[in-house]
């Protein structure tokens, strides 16, 4: 209950300061203030949710013959390290610290060097909320700092959010110390639109699946499979909507797309679009540098959101994670065919299906190789639901009750009520 009170107070402070925190997150990352507000809301909800679980953590009591019994205790791991990506800086820190602190651990958190600011505010908020000094710590730095923390003998667990290559290195370092890891890695998720979908919903779902946070979202449904008989109508509607996305100063109320995180990321996205064109894809809209009118924004890393048509499964833009505002549209004919193509990826973070046929919806998600599946929506993140990947998208989960298991260890106590029967 003591941990619960600290988390609830931290959630209250975040709620009270949400406008200031959202503004800082926009400055930190470049995402629109509109989206940053949602991130902050999800963040305090996360702390409230784990505050609710903190007081009810319990083990099991197991009866054994002769009045003997056993019981289990759920115990903290110790010092947990959180290493975060730059796309949801404050929210990722709350997704990790909420369950870590609720379970009785301390946390050392390293944000991405591209977004160092808001997690420091989170640390101040935890202190103000009554967390003892040293319970939640922020260490700034890049790869070498992350490696130092991952190898440190006093660290009990590492929870990592980032790319597959870094995740693989972290797993290797953790293996030396036999430390548990949670890996929230990248994706190239499929979104399947059947012709019986509510078209307006499906189009809105595809927009949500591709263009939040300038397309820099791990679970984005960037391979949009559309049943051939609605391909033309769907594509027209999506292109119309994408052209209307308001790009510009992310601190303005009506902006929906700010700049990408940095110059290398922008150039990487343009290289994917160039490669897509060379491989035969057609740019239906966007994919160009965007120079805002406002003088002070001219050096920003802006681009117009892009839709690619005439895509094929073996194109690089369809196989690899772009991590930018680029949607690839792929036609399909049958359920069987689309399932095989959707699963033909080394990733397995998320997947989505739009259909009015509820039996088909459940049949399809049961066959999809992805940790987070959406039916008739995409990219909603309720804290009550576990989130995480299959295959190279990682393992372990964030959010939901199950995450307590990733931040605690189980002790079994066996109690003898009779005499010791020695075999010697
Ligand atoms: N599954 C998820 O929940 C999720 C969420 C957000 C982002 N991502 C993924 O993250 C990637 C983009 O983020 P990124 O560019 O920040 O990823 P990244 O792997 O480059 O960096 C992530 C973090 O790891 C640190 N790091 C880098 N090298 C390290 C090393 N050798 N040892 C220890 N730490 C190291 C970085 O400083 C940063 O804090 C994408 O692939 C995206 O899909 C996944
Ligand atoms: O980027 C992936 C999804 C997510 C949102 N918040 C943390 N991870």
């Amino acid at each position: 209950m003591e941990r619960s009170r600290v988390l609830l107070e931290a959630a209250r402070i975040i709620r009270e300061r949400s406008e200031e925190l959202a503004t800082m997150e926009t400055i930190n990352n470049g995402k629109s203030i509109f989206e940053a507000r949602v991130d902050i809301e999800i963040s305090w909800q996360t702390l409230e949710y784990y505050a609710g679980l903190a007081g009810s953590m319990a083990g099991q009591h197991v009866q054994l013959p002769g009045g003997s019994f056993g019981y289990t205790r759920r115990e903290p791991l110790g010092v947990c390290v959180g290493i975060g990506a730059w796309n949801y800086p404050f929210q990722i820190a709350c997704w990790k610290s909420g369950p870590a602190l609720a379970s009785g651990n301390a946390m050392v958190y390293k944000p991405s060097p591209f977004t160092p600011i808001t997690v420091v505010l989170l640390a101040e908020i935890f202190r103000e909320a009554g967390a003892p000094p040293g319970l939640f710590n922020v260490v700034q730095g890049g790869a070498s700092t992350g490696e130092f923390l991952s190898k440190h003998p006093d660290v009990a667990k590492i929870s990592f959010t980032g790319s597959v290559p870094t995740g693989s290195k972290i797993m290797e370092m953790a293996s030396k110390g036999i430390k548990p890891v949670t890996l929230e890695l990248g994706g190239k998720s499929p979104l399947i639109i059947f012709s019986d979908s509510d078209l307006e919903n499906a189009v809105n779902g595809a927009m949500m699946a591709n263009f939040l946070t300038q397309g820099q979202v791990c679970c984005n449904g960037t391979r949009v499979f559309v049943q051939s008989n609605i391909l033309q109508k769907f594509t027209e509607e999506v292109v119309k909507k994408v052209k209307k996305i308001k790009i510009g100063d992310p601190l303005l109320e009506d902006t929906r797309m700010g700049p990408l995180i940095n110059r290398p990321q922008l150039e990487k996205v343009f290289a994917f679009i160039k490669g897509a064109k060379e491989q035969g894809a057609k740019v239906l809209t966007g994919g160009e540098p965007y120079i805002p009118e406002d003088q002070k924004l001219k050096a920003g890393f802006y681009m117009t959101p892009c839709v690619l048509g005439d895509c094929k499964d073996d194109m690089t833009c369809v196989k690899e994670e772009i991590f930018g505002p680029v949607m690839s549209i792929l036609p399909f004919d049958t359920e069987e065919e689309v399932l095989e193509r959707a699963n033909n990826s080394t990733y397995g973070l998320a997947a989505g299906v739009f259909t009015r046929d509820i039996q088909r919806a459940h049949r399809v998600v049961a066959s999809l190789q992805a940790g987070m599946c959406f039916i008739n929506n995409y990219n909603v993140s309720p804290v009550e639901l576990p989130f995480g990947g299959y295959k190279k998208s990682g393992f372990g989960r964030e959010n939901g009750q199950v995450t307590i298991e990733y931040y605690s260890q189980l002790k079994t106590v066996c109690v003898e009520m009779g005499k010791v029967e020695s075999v010697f």
Side-chain angles (χ1 to χ4, degrees):
M1 289 306 291
E2 212 178 318
R3 293 177 207 153
S4 173
R5 272 191 294 275
V6 170
L7 288 169
L8 281 177
E9 178 59 5
R12 189 198 63 75
I13 299 170
I14 294 171
R15 232 178 19 248
E16 193 177 83
R17 290 174 55 186
S18 55
E19 197 52 28
E20 171 209 340
L21 290 166
T23 304
M24 286 310 283
E25 191 71 325
T26 290
I27 293 165
N28 202 23
N29 165 278
K31 66 175 70 194
S32 72
I33 182 75
F34 182 86
E35 272 192 57
R37 285 186 189 124
V38 178
D39 289 9
I40 301 302
E41 193 178 330
I42 291 174
S43 299
W44 63 253
Q45 286 173 356
T46 305
L47 301 192
E48 276 193 349
Y49 177 80
Y50 286 106
L53 295 184
S56 57
M57 265 172 233
Q60 251 191 330
H61 174 273
V62 183
Q63 292 180 7
L64 296 171
S68 294
F69 62 95
Y71 62 93
T72 58
R73 292 164 51 89
R74 195 150 279 289
E75 297 185 344
L77 294 165
V79 178
C80 298
V81 159
I83 299 180
W86 41 259
N87 59 342
Y88 285 86
F90 195 82
Q91 198 185 102
I92 292 174
C94 288
W95 281 16
K96 297 190 190 304
S97 58
L101 301 193
S103 307
N105 303 287
M107 178 161 261
V108 179
Y109 192 87
K110 191 199 86 59
S112 165
F114 301 118
T115 50
I117 303 171
T118 46
V119 71
V120 177
L121 302 178
L122 178 65
E124 289 173 3
I125 288 169
F126 276 133
R127 279 291 288 127
E128 194 185 331
L135 191 72
F136 180 80
N137 313 273
V138 177
V139 177
Q140 303 283 2
S144 59
T145 309
E147 284 179 17
F148 176 82
L149 292 171
S150 304
K151 287 178 185 162
H152 200 287
D154 292 345
V155 167
K157 184 229 159 76
I158 305 152
S159 176
F160 172 73
T161 297
S163 64
V164 173
T166 310
S168 166
K169 281 184 203 157
I170 286 183
M171 198 171 158
E172 202 180 325
M173 290 184 275
S175 78
K176 303 277 192 288
I178 320 286
K179 286 171 197 171
V181 285
T182 292
L183 298 179
E184 294 288 358
L185 309 178
K188 191 72 196 180
S189 300
L191 170 59
I192 304 172
I193 317 278
F194 285 98
S195 58
D196 67 350
S197 311
D198 174 323
L199 191 72
E200 192 186 344
N201 255 346
V203 168
N204 285 334
M207 299 294 291
M208 289 295 286
N210 279 273
F211 299 115
L212 292 171
T213 306
Q214 293 76 256
Q216 304 161 127
V217 182
C218 56
C219 43
N220 269 0
T222 45
R223 290 185 291 144
V224 182
F225 292 96
V226 183
Q227 208 155 20
S228 300
N229 51 342
I230 57 159
L231 179 69
Q232 194 183 345
K233 184 79 189 136
F234 175 88
T235 306
E236 278 168 17
E237 293 300 315
V238 160
V239 168
K240 242 192 265 171
K241 287 222 175 216
V242 172
K243 283 184 171 158
K244 284 192 192 146
I245 293 176
K246 179 88 172 45
I247 312 168
D249 183 344
L251 287 168
L252 297 180
E253 284 301 323
D254 59 346
T255 298
R256 289 294 176 272
M257 196 171 274
L260 273 67
I261 190 73
N262 53 30
R263 172 76 55 200
Q265 187 66 19
L266 184 69
E267 281 167 6
K268 189 178 139 204
V269 176
F270 286 140
F272 270 109
I273 295 169
K274 182 167 173 280
K277 286 194 271 192
E278 284 162 7
Q279 291 182 321
K282 189 169 169 200
V283 175
L284 303 174
T285 184
E288 302 286 340
Y290 177 84
I291 317 279
E293 305 262 292
D294 187 339
Q295 199 58 36
K296 73 176 186 297
L297 305 177
K298 285 206 188 301
F301 312 119
Y302 289 95
M303 66 172 283
T304 51
C306 178
V307 180
L308 297 174
D310 293 346
C311 294
K312 301 273 182 315
D313 293 3
D314 59 355
M315 289 177 177
T316 311
C317 64
V318 176
K319 289 200 302 201
E320 290 184 18
E321 184 184 46
I322 299 177
F323 225 57
V326 184
M327 177 197 294
S328 297
I329 298 185
L330 301 133
F332 76 93
D333 292 311
T334 69
E335 183 181 317
E336 195 188 6
E337 169 213 333
V338 77
L339 271 173
E340 196 190 321
R341 291 170 60 193
N343 285 333
N344 186 17
S345 169
T346 55
Y347 293 113
L349 187 54
V353 55
F354 276 80
T355 176
R356 283 195 175 96
D357 178 343
I358 196 72
Q359 281 150 327
R360 170 157 58 195
H362 292 291
R363 190 169 64 232
V364 165
V365 292
S367 295
L368 284 167
Q369 296 162 2
M372 178 78 227
C373 291
F374 299 96
I375 295 177
N376 292 333
N377 204 345
Y378 207 97
N379 270 346
V380 284
S381 316
V383 59
E384 299 91 332
L385 298 184
F387 177 88
Y390 280 15
K391 302 199 269 188
K392 282 198 175 172
S393 293
F395 52 79
R397 290 292 176 266
E398 295 197 306
N399 296 341
Q401 286 189 28
V402 71
T403 298
I404 295 298
E405 292 177 23
Y406 294 101
Y407 281 102
S408 58
Q409 52 195 339
L410 201 65
K411 178 177 281 171
T412 301
V413 182
C414 181
V415 184
E416 179 58 64
M417 298 297 280
K419 280 187 116 34
V420 176
E421 286 182 14
S422 172
V423 296
F424 303 104

